[in-house]
Amino acid sequence: MGMTITEKILAAHAGLNEVKPGELIKAKVDMALANDITAPLAIKAFKTAKGKQVFAKDKIALVLDHFTPNKDIPSAIQCQEVRKFAKEQGIVHFYDVGEVGIEHVLLPEKGLVLPGDLVIGADSHTCTYGALGAFSTGVGSTDLGAVMLTGEIWLKVPPSIKLVYKGKLPKWITGKDLILYTIGDLGVEGALCKAMEFCGEAIAELSMDGRFTMANMAIEAGAKNGIFAPDEKTEAYVKPRATRPYKIYQSDPDAKYLFVKEYDVAQLEPQVALPHSPDNVKGVSEIGEIKIDQVVIGSCTNGRLEDLRLAASILKGKKVAKGVRCIVIPGSQQVYLDALKEGLIEIFIEAGAAVSTPTCGPCLGGHMGVLGPGEKAISTTNRNFIGRMGHVESEVYLASPAVAAASAITGKIASPEEVL
Amino acid sequence: MIVEGKVWKFGDNIDTDIIIPARYLNTSDPQELAKHCMEGIRPDFAQLVREGDIIVAGRNFGCGSSREHAPIAIKAAGIKAVVAKSFARIFYRNAFNIGLPIVEAEKVVDASKEGDVLKIDLDRGEIVNLTQNQTFKIQPLPDFMKELIADGGLIPHLAKKGGY
Ligand code: SF4
């Protein structure tokens, strides 16, 4: 029987010829990831399990991205613990302030995750790497501690669902709009424990940055992983970065899917997820007038170069509306540098936006733009749960960098059409 | 590994707040947590449950937060296995990692009534409803999972073996 790309990667890492949905396997991990919030607990689990040496110094990435540069004393202590462990263990891929980027932007950029890999991260958005044709999923700290010790993880093979995007991408429609639309359709539990396989002509048209955005939010539909079959774009992205061999998998034509959904995107308008759920999605023209206090452009969802280019193309020569705070956070040092060289940072600053060093910051209400009671933000991040960006009475609207930038100019949620 | 016990039947979407309400999370002592297990839906559960009993439930068991306290409370209450139509993803992982066997078996759930006695044979991949004299096939657990459960969970298992 044919297998899906997800099943093939899992089978290969479990040393099996074939796996079926529902099967429990023990699989080898190519890269294990933790951040400044989840690593301390994983280190504790590792030590409780009498761990002495990690399974491979070069297959663990520890990324201090959430509350860094340290926002307070407890976060400074957490980072100290991780720093100490990284040094003791000789962790090769340890990223501290000055080199750090948001983990899910950083790892692909550094070539640390590659097509065909099995990646486990103590962070729910680890599913981002599916954009490269890798199997990647998030776990808790205990699991990650066990992976750091053994290099293995037990997994249940997920059934796959196939999402086919037809039609040409209209102007302003990005990966963010496609994934928001999809989550709006499936619901936050619509893909529970399943593999979301993205394909179709609109996906082929989509850039790698757009695919990262989509895979990133698979978890927002409850999925275990999101995945794209690698194509020329994937190869072009990976080739200059890879320092080890990788393998390209494709789904068999007779692979089995739990269900298949087709979306015609030709008429799609920019999408917005309203508070307080990523599946509360509407077209930007349907939401009426929503005044905003803050705009956030960044995160592991939309903090890549293409995202900044898109936002800058709208903000160029314009001003952020009076009374609106617009915060731009490049996802990594490389993105920052590229944006600087291209003149994007200048555009943001001239428009009246604040530009920050890479950090998760406001995405999880950590620092660098926490909301007060009653405040509303439009954000390119991935979650708009109650209190996600600050006070429990604040509101977060999720959208693409294009909608976020247009909204910064008008002071209310707007389509890019309205400002150009 | 064989589990035999009386069925406690629950419906769909039993969330982690039903299993162990957040107000009791100021402790991670399993015995304390066990006292409040299922309090959200059946306040007398903790008094009536007997060592070896089995929970049988509908879809999406354990949805909600990622708290490991939920399977810990169930296990400490004496429950030896949970059979459900489906499990929330993180609950599923947490349950195995703390050594609580869980089985997805839709037909068993539909056929079982509260108070029936089930015999779950994880080695043979079989569940027998002894009260109704019906036998169901389930996917047998791989050996490493059985060992993990026998050792009381992932971390004790790794501490003992130094690996899987
Ligand atoms: S940017 Fe937000 S969603 Fe992404 S890793 Fe950081 S906190 Fe998590």
Side-chain angles (χ1 to χ4, degrees):
Chain A
M1 197 191 77
M3 285 197 286
T4 66
I5 176 168
T6 294
E7 288 154 11
K8 285 185 185 180
I9 297 172
L10 291 177
H13 286 78
L16 300 167
N17 291 326
E18 198 188 71
V19 294
K20 288 203 175 63
E23 198 174 329
L24 287 171
I25 58 164
K26 196 168 67 181
K28 293 226 176 309
V29 174
D30 296 304
M31 187 55 73
L33 159 75
N35 57 50
D36 50 322
I37 293 182
T38 58
L41 285 171
I43 292 167
K44 203 170 145 211
F46 175 84
K47 294 197 167 149
T48 313
K50 298 198 194 131
K52 297 233 155 22
Q53 197 70 59
V54 296
F55 81 105
K57 293 172 185 180
D58 59 347
K59 292 187 176 179
I60 294 170
L62 297 175
V63 183
L64 306 182
D65 58 354
H66 277 59
F67 295 156
T68 54
N70 297 145
K71 70 157 182 143
D72 55 15
I73 294 166
S75 59
I77 293 172
Q78 284 194 314
C79 286
Q80 280 177 320
E81 285 172 25
V82 186
R83 216 170 272 134
K84 182 162 164 263
F85 180 78
K87 198 163 172 209
E88 266 166 29
Q89 294 286 333
I91 302 292
V92 178
H93 309 297
F94 169 66
Y95 293 96
D96 208 337
V97 172
E99 286 179 324
V100 83
I102 300 170
E103 51 203 40
H104 311 307
V105 178
L106 191 70
L107 264 55
E109 188 186 276
K110 296 274 181 200
L112 300 185
V113 289
L114 297 171
D117 276 359
L118 193 148
V119 187
I120 299 296
D123 187 276
S124 62
H125 293 100
T126 302
C127 53
T128 308
Y129 317 124
L132 296 166
F135 175 89
S136 58
T137 195
V139 296
S141 289
T142 303
D143 269 322
L144 208 270
V147 174
M148 290 201 297
L149 180 62
T150 63
E152 291 182 316
I153 187 155
W154 67 268
L155 290 167
K156 192 169 168 194
V157 179
S160 292
I161 62 181
K162 190 174 181 171
L163 302 159
V164 190
Y165 298 83
K166 293 191 152 172
K168 210 178 144 35
L169 285 175
K171 193 166 166 60
W172 306 120
I173 298 303
T174 66
K176 183 62 161 285
D177 302 291
L178 300 188
I179 193 66
L180 286 176
Y181 185 76
T182 308
I183 298 164
D185 179 54
L186 296 176
V188 288
E189 281 179 317
L192 195 67
C193 295
K194 302 182 178 63
M196 291 170 88
E197 191 174 317
F198 303 102
C199 58
E201 54 186 301
I203 296 298
E205 221 187 302
L206 211 61
S207 66
M208 284 312 294
D209 284 3
R211 296 179 197 181
F212 283 121
T213 303
M214 290 188 75
N216 175 271
M217 289 190 74
I219 178 72
E220 260 55 69
K224 179 172 281 182
N225 68 310
I227 202 158
F228 294 72
D231 61 8
E232 320 82 67
K233 284 184 182 165
T234 325
E235 291 250 33
Y237 181 91
V238 164
K239 270 227 178 87
R241 296 177 160 89
T243 54
R244 57 184 166 92
Y246 56 90
K247 193 155 179 211
I248 303 245
Y249 293 91
Q250 306 276 350
S251 293
D252 291 325
D254 60 341
K256 287 248 175 336
Y257 294 91
L258 199 61
F259 60 85
V260 180
K261 281 234 168 192
E262 285 193 3
Y263 299 115
D264 187 351
V265 304
Q267 304 301 325
L268 205 64
E269 64 161 328
Q271 303 286 301
V272 180
L274 280 60
H276 293 283
S277 179
D279 66 359
N280 190 10
V281 175
K282 288 197 173 129
V284 65
S285 68
E286 299 165 354
I287 57 176
E289 182 160 319
I290 310 268
K291 284 216 168 71
I292 47 156
D293 305 285
Q294 179 166 299
V295 179
V296 174
I297 299 170
S299 84
C300 61
T301 317
N302 282 117
R304 298 183 182 80
L305 190 59
E306 183 184 278
D307 302 313
L308 300 192
R309 278 186 188 142
L310 182 58
S313 75
I314 292 166
L315 284 166
K316 188 168 184 171
K318 301 225 165 44
K319 287 279 179 214
V320 171
K322 274 270 164 288
V324 173
R325 291 107 55 185
C326 180
I327 300 163
V328 181
I329 308 181
S332 70
Q333 291 286 74
Q334 190 61 51
V335 172
Y336 202 161
L337 200 57
D338 290 344
L340 197 67
K341 286 183 184 154
E342 283 188 21
L344 309 181
I345 302 298
E346 206 175 316
I347 293 173
F348 294 134
I349 292 175
E350 276 174 359
V355 184
S356 145
T357 191
T359 178
C360 292
C363 171
L364 76 165
H367 59 146
M368 292 300 301
V370 176
L371 299 174
E375 290 190 327
K376 291 182 171 53
I378 186 147
S379 174
T380 68
T381 52
N382 47 38
R383 286 186 174 148
N384 57 352
F385 302 155
I386 293 172
R388 173 79 179 178
M389 199 175 276
H391 196 274
V392 290
E393 282 157 31
S394 62
E395 291 185 350
V396 179
Y397 294 75
L398 306 175
S400 73
V403 172
S407 306
I409 296 166
T410 59
K412 60 179 183 59
I413 296 179
S415 156
E417 300 289 350
E418 292 173 48
V419 297
L420 292 174
Chain B
M1 177 169 201
I2 293 173
V3 177
E4 190 177 320
K6 198 166 62 84
V7 167
W8 291 87
K9 186 123 189 225
F10 295 93
D12 292 340
N13 299 311
I14 299 295
D15 64 54
T16 48
D17 274 293
I18 293 176
I19 300 170
I20 180 72
R23 59 183 174 277
Y24 300 121
L25 297 184
N26 50 7
T27 173
S28 52
D29 173 17
Q31 294 317 316
E32 274 306 307
L33 295 171
K35 285 186 200 159
H36 306 290
C37 184
M38 294 295 180
E39 194 176 284
I41 196 165
R42 217 175 283 180
D44 53 357
F45 181 79
Q47 277 92 58
L48 299 176
V49 68
R50 291 288 161 262
E51 186 77 16
D53 286 356
I54 293 167
I55 286 178
V56 173
R59 263 186 297 280
N60 204 19
F61 188 87
C63 58
S65 92
S66 64
R67 64 186 73 142
E68 264 179 36
H69 306 73
I72 290 172
I74 291 174
K75 193 181 171 198
I79 294 290
K80 284 286 178 281
V82 183
V83 181
K85 290 188 180 175
S86 65
F87 292 91
R89 188 174 93 79
I90 299 178
F91 180 89
Y92 189 87
R93 294 202 70 86
N94 288 345
F96 275 109
N97 285 345
I98 63 131
L100 173 71
I102 57 180
V103 183
E104 255 176 32
E106 181 145 10
K107 292 206 179 88
V108 178
V109 176
D110 284 334
S112 302
K113 293 195 186 63
E114 174 118 350
D116 285 1
V117 176
L118 294 188
K119 183 173 162 192
I120 305 175
D121 188 329
L122 293 167
D123 301 304
R124 291 175 59 184
E126 197 179 83
I127 297 184
V128 186
N129 184 320
L130 297 170
T131 312
Q132 304 190 23
N133 208 1
Q134 273 182 301
T135 302
F136 303 88
K137 284 267 153 244
I138 54 169
Q139 213 159 22
L141 285 181
D143 290 342
F144 75 90
M145 293 292 287
K146 282 186 268 183
E147 265 187 63
L148 196 152
I149 289 165
D151 289 343
L154 181 60
I155 295 301
H157 175 70
L158 294 177
K160 187 173 129 191
K161 292 197 60 181
Y164 266 99

